[in-house]
Amino acid sequence: MSQHKEVKLVTTHQMLAMKQRGEKISMLTAYDYSMAQILDGAGIDVLLVGDSASNVMAGHETTLPITLDQIIYHAQGVVRAVKRAFVVVDMPFGSYQGNSSEALRSAIRIMKESGGHGVKLEGGAEVKDSIIRILTAGIPVMGHLGLTPQSIYKFGTYTVRAKEEAEAQKLLEDARLLQEIGCFGLVLEKIPAALAKQVAEELTIPVIGIGAGRHVDGQVLVVHDMLGLTKEFKPRFLRRYAELHDIMTEAVQHYVADVKSREFPSEEEGY
Ligand code: KIV
């Protein structure tokens, strides 16, 4: 009989139990080995290899350009670093919409080639078939409703979603559907706090918010934003826990000055 290694990671079952006992779930994005090692070591519950890598790692204006190969590359580094956190990998735009066979193929590639623990994709009823197909392969799926950045050209802006009754109603129905078909969790992005509270109270699966208020089961932020690496991005929902842009600029300026003045390296720093 083969030996199975014990899973010591955060699991979907543990996340469910956290919701049930009222323990909030902490989630951050990560796109590389070094950062993931720090975040995992600091006790984060969930790491999201977000398609926001398209913005913060590659400098694109939107999340649309990132490819399956690129997200897998980012996820591989994150997975290598992780000892405890559950790693969710975003399915890139174009890798799952409108074709459930392709969605399944994309999700299998992500799981096989990156070693991630689950996938996340954007949308509700429109992507139902893709989600059901992915779930048949035993791959945990996380939903994402509200502001869904892969649809930015449909929305036209990054402002708060579901403020109007009709959109709020559709979001509620989509959230119920995602739970019903088997998603293990749901991200709600930039929607009114009262609506997010209603969803989190009604659903039994964990609901993680970004700009969705305090009455959800956990919070997610883009790590570059919460560490202050991105300087200009200052939405109301973002709390900066450090000012790394300033700290790094100062450190690099210091290094440049030391090299120019021959202060670095000293005799002791040579061989
Ligand atoms: O890609 C990402 O960073 C995300 C978060 C905003 C939830 O999907």
Side-chain angles (χ1 to χ4, degrees):
M1 201 169 70
S2 65
Q3 291 286 319
H4 296 287
K5 266 204 216 160
E6 200 189 327
V7 177
K8 296 205 181 92
L9 305 160
V10 174
T11 62
T12 55
H13 295 281
Q14 284 170 5
M15 284 185 252
L16 190 61
M18 285 163 89
K19 170 162 182 151
Q20 285 163 354
R21 64 173 179 265
E23 179 184 340
K24 300 282 185 184
I25 298 167
S26 60
M27 177 164 162
L28 282 172
T29 63
Y31 318 101
D32 67 66
Y33 176 83
S34 305
M35 186 74 90
Q37 207 171 36
I38 295 171
L39 306 180
D40 187 63
I44 200 79
D45 296 314
V46 185
L47 286 178
L48 170 66
V49 184
D51 59 0
S52 49
S54 179
N55 309 113
V56 296
M57 301 301 284
H60 292 295
E61 214 169 288
T62 73
T63 57
L64 276 65
I66 196 162
T67 66
L68 199 52
D69 285 339
Q70 289 166 343
I71 205 90
I72 288 170
Y73 170 78
H74 286 294
Q76 285 169 339
V78 170
V79 170
R80 268 180 223 124
V82 159
K83 291 199 167 69
R84 176 183 171 274
F86 188 86
V87 179
V88 179
V89 184
D90 258 344
M91 297 193 67
F93 175 68
S95 72
Y96 63 92
Q97 296 97 334
N99 182 337
S100 62
S101 303
E102 187 169 354
L104 178 60
R105 250 194 317 276
S106 304
I108 287 178
R109 274 203 63 199
I110 289 174
M111 299 296 283
K112 220 183 205 359
E113 295 176 36
S114 77
H117 311 135
V119 298
K120 173 167 84 57
L121 50 84
E122 297 181 4
E126 320 76 40
V127 289
K128 177 183 165 198
D129 291 346
S130 294
I131 294 176
I132 290 173
R133 197 78 189 270
I134 296 168
L135 287 165
T136 60
I139 300 171
V141 178
M142 185 168 216
H144 183 156
L145 298 173
L147 177 63
T148 47
Q150 292 180 8
S151 304
I152 185 58
Y153 291 114
K154 182 175 91 181
F155 298 144
T157 75
Y158 286 101
T159 54
V160 180
R161 304 303 315 174
K163 279 163 78 175
E164 307 302 329
E165 182 56 29
E167 197 179 335
Q169 205 48 45
K170 157 102 170 91
L171 187 143
L172 264 173
E173 283 161 19
D174 279 341
R176 289 179 191 130
L177 174 74
L178 293 177
Q179 169 166 290
E180 193 186 303
I181 62 177
C183 287
F184 75 85
L186 173 63
V187 166
L188 292 179
E189 180 165 354
K190 230 171 167 188
I191 63 166
L195 177 60
K197 179 172 188 273
Q198 190 183 346
V199 175
E201 282 175 356
E202 194 180 312
L203 296 198
T204 54
I205 58 172
V207 175
I208 312 293
I210 171 164
R214 5 186 14 226
H215 304 289
V216 283
D217 307 308
Q219 298 291 331
V220 57
L221 287 173
V222 170
V223 72
H224 286 58
D225 299 334
M226 64 82 74
L227 290 178
L229 280 161
T230 45
K231 220 171 157 44
E232 307 307 328
F233 186 62
K234 288 180 184 162
R236 190 201 305 188
F237 69 77
L238 174 63
R239 187 181 295 182
R240 288 237 185 96
Y241 284 83
E243 294 295 345
L244 289 198
H245 188 284
D246 295 343
I247 291 170
M248 289 173 72
T249 301
E250 219 171 279
V252 175
Q253 283 169 342
H254 195 166
Y255 169 75
V256 170
D258 281 359
V259 171
K260 301 276 181 202
S261 67
R262 297 174 169 74
E263 178 68 28
F264 177 81
S266 65
E267 287 301 329
E268 295 72 33
E269 286 162 324
Y271 296 96

